Each structure stands twice: as structure tokens, then as C-alpha cells.
Amino acid sequence: MLTKINNKPWGMKRPTVGVALSGGGIRGLTHIGVLKSLLANGVPIDLISGTSAGAIVASLYACGYTPQQMEQLAKNMKTSQLIDLKMTVSDLFKHGMKWLMSGMSRFWSVLPNGLVKGDKIERYFSSLWQERTLRDTFIPVAITAVDLNSADTVFFTTPLPGNRAILNARYYHNALLTDAVRASISIPGVFFPKKFRGMTLVDGAVKNNLPTDILKHMGADVIIAVDLGYSGEPNPDVHSVGEILIQCIDIMNREVTLLKSEKYADVIIRPSVFDINFKELKNTALAISRGEQAAKAQMSEIKRLTGER
């Protein structure tokens, strides 16, 4: 288990290191491999942030879980225990009838606001973190979400001194980790949005898939970013409505990352994950291995920046 963030030894100065973990669905398991490689090479992690899948791994690490423990959790995970579908055959019939009654122009308005309720996965998170809040982590952590009503970015963070210079953002320190992560994984159209203090929160990737900016404002001197987002690979297998929507979101996220997140990152690790199927939990070992390989490939630069040998 981790210990509370250490003070730097007397007379010794080293940079404060922050690690930002992007969203990526099942591919988020790759983050475990990156963390495993960083720790094996003595790279310190003083602050950590995450969006969506990255929020899960970041929160686990901040609460003391080792990469090895995370890997075991992933191997034991069963989709049926985490997913509670809201839509049934009778629901589809009901919404189809509403559509016919209201006219084609109102098709989208009669659909529910998500396919997965999220109660099961919220209970699972609660079993991992109990009643722990952002104030109770071993190292400072930041989790991102977006408020649909105001379009503001919502940062759930460990309270730290510093300015709040990020535009159109709100900050919450007293929230439960379970609530923060549940909000961050609320992929629009898939998970029901998370209701929190009058807000309707969805996946932080809508505005900030690679949260490097918050680490800078929390005091990081060196930021290592792990980007699992779409990186421009040709994708000819875009046929259904769902696949088209996902590809469009991936393209938009990529542009935001290029314009925003890279500004603050000193090192960006981009593991090869494009061929890892979003639907396959059996790819756990492969995803973790890809993360280890990608981090190892940039380890000399990471050590130079962090002052490790």
C-alpha cells in the first residue's frame, strides 16, 4: 500500500511529478501497465488525475492500490456484475410507440437518457473506496466531469493551495470518490448522467479527456500524460449509428487533446491500443503489457525530467 505523500528530504530538491490518465473504456486497463513500469523504475508519482477509465485507475492508485492489485481486480471483474441495462424489449416497444405517436421529428426526444443505470457499478466503486472522500486519499487526486446544464468542467480534487485559473470550471473537495468517478465515467447516451448537487454530470472526456491542466494548477512541475484516445488511425469499420457517433466523439476528443492537454504535458505516452476491442475484458493482460512497453520506451526521458537515475 502507498503511504502519505512524502516530504522531500532535507537539502534535496526534485520536481513534483504528476501523472494524467485519459479515458479509453476497457483500454483504460493499459494505464495499469504504465503505472507498473513507472514504479518499477523508481519514478515518483506525487499527484494523479484521470478522466473516465483513467479516473478509476487514478482513484485506485491514490487510495493505495498497487498496479498488481489493480490487475487482479481487472481479472476478477465480470461485466454482468457491473452493468444494469435500463432498456428492455418492452422499453424499446414503448419508446417506439411514443415515436410513432409524436412523429419522426421527435424520435430522439422519446428515448431515455442512457442505456445503463449505473447503480451496479456505483456499488462496486463503493466496495473499493468505502466512504472515502477526495480528502482521504494517500496522494492528491483530480477527477474530471462535465455539467450538461452549464457546460462547466467539474473538477473533483484533493484540496491543495493554488489558484483556480481554469476557465469555466468548478471545484469540489468534499465529494465521495464513488460519486466523482461515477460522474466521470458517464459516457453520454450509454450511462445515465450522475446527479450531483443540482448538476447533471457526464463523462469528463466531453471537454477534457487528458486532464493535464488541473495537475499544473495543483503544483506539478513535471507532467507525464497517458493518452489512450484516438490518434488518427484509419477506421474503415464505421457502419452503424453507434459506430459513427463514437468515431465522431473520438475525433473531437483528439482535437481537444492536441490543442489543450499537450500544452501542459512534458511527456506524452501513447500506448498502441487501437486494436484492443472495447468489448473484450479478456484483453486485460495484453492491455497492461502494452502500457508497460509504451512507458519503457520513454523511460530515459522520464528519468531525465524527474531527476531519477
Side-chain angles (χ1 to χ4, degrees):
M1 299 291 279
L2 298 174
T3 56
K4 284 281 187 179
I5 183 169
N6 294 322
N7 293 323
K8 299 171 186 177
W10 180 260
M12 176 182 175
K13 293 182 179 179
R14 70 161 177 82
T16 299
V17 181
V19 175
L21 307 178
S22 79
I26 292 300
R27 296 169 182 169
L29 295 168
T30 310
H31 291 313
I32 299 173
V34 172
L35 295 182
K36 184 185 289 189
S37 183
L38 293 176
L39 295 176
N41 284 275
V43 177
I45 302 174
D46 301 312
L47 312 165
I48 194 164
S49 66
T51 294
S52 200
I56 300 174
V57 176
S59 295
L60 286 170
Y61 185 78
C63 287
Y65 285 84
T66 66
Q68 290 76 16
Q69 289 172 320
M70 295 182 211
E71 184 173 2
Q72 196 58 48
L73 286 173
K75 289 178 178 178
N76 294 335
M77 193 164 48
K78 295 181 180 178
T79 306
S80 60
Q81 296 174 337
L82 303 178
I83 302 300
D84 41 7
L85 289 175
K86 176 66 175 176
M87 290 286 283
T88 63
V89 173
S90 61
D91 289 328
L92 288 171
F93 178 77
K94 177 180 69 177
H95 292 298
M97 290 304 295
K98 283 184 180 180
W99 171 50
L100 290 173
M101 298 287 289
S102 61
M104 291 187 181
S105 63
R106 297 190 64 241
F107 171 67
W108 296 107
S109 66
V110 302
L111 292 177
N113 58 4
L115 300 177
V116 180
K117 289 185 289 185
D119 294 342
K120 282 187 176 182
I121 199 165
E122 198 160 327
R123 286 194 293 271
Y124 177 68
F125 290 158
S126 184
S127 73
L128 297 175
W129 300 307
Q130 305 301 320
E131 296 298 306
R132 191 168 286 176
T133 72
L134 278 299
R135 294 177 179 272
D136 303 321
T137 55
F138 288 100
I139 65 169
V141 63
I143 305 300
T144 65
V146 174
D147 178 20
L148 278 180
N149 304 122
S150 67
D152 285 345
T153 300
V154 173
F155 289 112
F156 295 97
T157 74
T158 302
L160 284 176
N163 67 62
R164 298 179 172 186
I166 300 174
L167 294 176
N168 302 317
R170 304 182 199 175
Y171 302 80
Y172 294 90
H173 308 305
N174 294 317
L176 293 172
L177 270 174
T178 294
D179 289 338
V181 178
R182 170 63 178 84
S184 190
I185 68 164
S186 299
I187 303 169
V190 178
F191 280 93
F192 271 42
K194 174 68 178 177
K195 296 292 185 179
F196 180 82
R197 299 187 187 178
M199 297 179 290
T200 302
L201 302 181
V202 295
D203 194 334
V206 170
K207 287 183 67 179
N208 196 346
N209 193 44
L210 187 59
T212 56
D213 50 356
I214 186 64
L215 290 178
K216 178 62 70 174
H217 291 293
M218 290 172 71
D221 300 311
V222 173
I223 296 175
I224 302 166
V226 188
D227 183 12
L228 305 182
Y230 177 63
S231 56
E233 301 94 342
N235 186 6
D237 299 320
V238 180
H239 306 296
S240 68
V241 171
E243 289 169 343
I244 291 171
L245 288 173
I246 290 172
Q247 181 70 358
C248 288
I249 292 170
D250 283 345
I251 291 170
M252 289 187 289
N253 282 341
R254 180 184 181 222
E255 293 303 307
V256 172
T257 298
L258 291 173
L259 291 171
K260 183 177 181 181
S261 301
E262 291 192 4
K263 174 182 177 181
Y264 299 96
D266 297 285
V267 176
I268 299 180
I269 300 171
R270 289 194 171 97
S272 176
V273 294
F274 190 67
D275 61 328
I276 296 178
N277 194 319
F278 273 105
K279 304 173 185 177
E280 296 290 343
L281 280 176
K282 66 183 181 182
N283 285 323
T284 296
L286 175 62
I288 292 173
S289 175
R290 294 279 182 86
E292 289 184 85
Q293 293 168 19
K296 185 177 180 181
Q298 298 197 56
M299 195 56 65
S300 59
E301 176 65 7
I302 292 171
K303 287 187 173 183
R304 185 187 68 81
L305 289 168
T306 59
E308 299 301 312
R309 293 182 181 180

